Amino acid sequence: MGLALVFPVRATYMTPATASFSNPDDVRRTAFLVTAVVVLMTLVSPLSAQFIGMPVWNSPQGGDVFTVSGDYSRPDSRYGDGSASGARASRGYGLVTVTLGFSGWRPEAPGQRFRSYGGGAALRLTGGSALPIAVNLQAGVAHADSFTTRSSQTTVTGALGVSAPLSKGRLSIEPYVTPGIRYRDVNGARIGYAVGTNVHVGLIGLHIAYDTERLRGGESVGVFGIGADLVFRRRQRSPAVNSSRRL
């Protein structure tokens, strides 16, 4: 049976731009998410999960958003050719973004199909302000197995994302580079990086990336991926409205 194509769509829900730390609920949520990121980075490595056949997607600028993404990619011949599709769900709050997702990859070789699923977290260090550079740390883990064989592998990937967010009116462009380490339990650690761009025009966005890993023998494998976004934003309530309700 062939692999279903998931049309790249990403829906985003924007929460208020800043958390109110006078609100105990905001403090508790932020503390919980920061603790979760610290624990995750401690368990899986000092540095988002790379799903099989996919680039390591990143958004260093981050933001207080809920995102559902659809992705499509084409690995190169050294990777195994074929195509992959997948979906991700991300929840951002303050400086932290947590992601869950899956992918399915069908290589060029007949009779082979793979799937992977996992999750990760990103901690934004800078960005979302007047600074011209956004930086984040990612940590994640994914497990991949086969529809057709008993082979499986677990992947831990870590990355430092650096971008230069640009915006003019309703248009925002975020080119980025994401160097990092990819560890697989079947063949150890590799060095890799992704170069990509996130683009949004009003409610519609696109993401594109090329990811490459260096093999032990000196050769490299590469993956090219694309996706599209649909963004929903919730307007922040004005202080006057909140004050009148308290009165």
Side-chain angles (χ1 to χ4, degrees), residues 47-125:
L47 294 175
S48 140
Q50 183 180 11
F51 305 106
I52 194 165
M54 288 285 174
V56 174
W57 302 106
N58 203 336
S59 181
Q61 190 175 10
D64 302 321
V65 298
F66 174 74
T67 304
V68 178
S69 305
D71 311 307
Y72 176 79
S73 67
R74 297 282 298 185
D76 66 13
S77 58
R78 292 190 179 95
Y79 197 112
D81 279 325
S83 62
S85 56
R88 294 169 290 133
S90 301
R91 176 67 168 95
Y93 189 87
L95 302 178
V96 180
T97 302
V98 179
T99 301
L100 297 175
F102 69 91
S103 71
W105 171 45
R106 185 168 186 170
E108 191 69 25
Q112 293 188 7
R113 291 177 60 201
F114 296 90
R115 61 189 173 190
S116 66
Y117 45 90
L123 174 64
R124 189 172 77 242
L125 303 180

Side-chain angles (χ1 to χ4, degrees), residues 47 58 60 125 135-138 158-162 176-181 194:
L47 294 175
N58 203 336
L125 303 180
V135 181
N136 73 4
L137 288 177
Q138 291 182 295
L160 173 69
V162 181
Y176 66 84
V177 60
T178 305
I181 299 173

Side-chain angles (χ1 to χ4, degrees), residues 10-241:
R10 188 165 80 183
T12 303
Y13 169 78
M14 178 72 77
T15 64
T18 57
S20 172
F21 289 96
S22 62
N23 186 333
D25 290 337
D26 289 339
V27 175
R28 284 193 292 269
R29 291 192 194 101
T30 302
F32 172 78
L33 289 171
V34 171
T35 302
V37 171
V38 172
V39 171
L40 181 59
M41 290 183 176
T42 302
L43 291 176
V44 301
S45 82
L47 294 175
S48 140
Q50 183 180 11
F51 305 106
I52 194 165
M54 288 285 174
V56 174
W57 302 106
N58 203 336
S59 181
Q61 190 175 10
D64 302 321
V65 298
F66 174 74
T67 304
V68 178
S69 305
D71 311 307
Y72 176 79
S73 67
R74 297 282 298 185
D76 66 13
S77 58
R78 292 190 179 95
Y79 197 112
D81 279 325
S83 62
S85 56
R88 294 169 290 133
S90 301
R91 176 67 168 95
Y93 189 87
L95 302 178
V96 180
T97 302
V98 179
T99 301
L100 297 175
F102 69 91
S103 71
W105 171 45
R106 185 168 186 170
E108 191 69 25
Q112 293 188 7
R113 291 177 60 201
F114 296 90
R115 61 189 173 190
S116 66
Y117 45 90
L123 174 64
R124 189 172 77 242
L125 303 180
T126 65
S129 64
L131 292 176
I133 299 296
V135 181
N136 73 4
L137 288 177
Q138 291 182 295
V141 59
H143 180 77
D145 56 21
S146 174
F147 286 92
T148 53
T149 68
R150 294 184 179 180
S151 63
S152 65
Q153 61 176 289
T154 298
T155 304
V156 176
T157 58
L160 173 69
V162 181
S163 72
L166 308 171
S167 62
K168 185 176 182 180
R170 294 168 60 84
L171 172 65
S172 65
I173 304 174
E174 184 187 18
Y176 66 84
V177 60
T178 305
I181 299 173
R182 292 88 184 273
Y183 172 82
R184 292 178 174 82
D185 59 354
V186 295
N187 52 20
R190 301 175 178 177
I191 301 297
Y193 67 90
V195 178
T197 302
N198 303 314
V199 180
H200 288 90
V201 182
L203 300 179
I204 300 174
L206 300 171
H207 53 277
I208 183 172
Y210 177 76
D211 186 288
T212 182
E213 289 183 22
R214 182 172 295 277
L215 305 179
R216 288 185 177 181
E219 294 184 338
S220 297
V221 297
V223 180
F224 175 78
I226 61 173
D229 312 339
L230 180 61
V231 182
F232 300 94
R233 305 176 188 274
R234 187 179 73 175
R235 294 184 178 180
Q236 187 175 7
R237 294 177 180 176
S238 65
V241 174

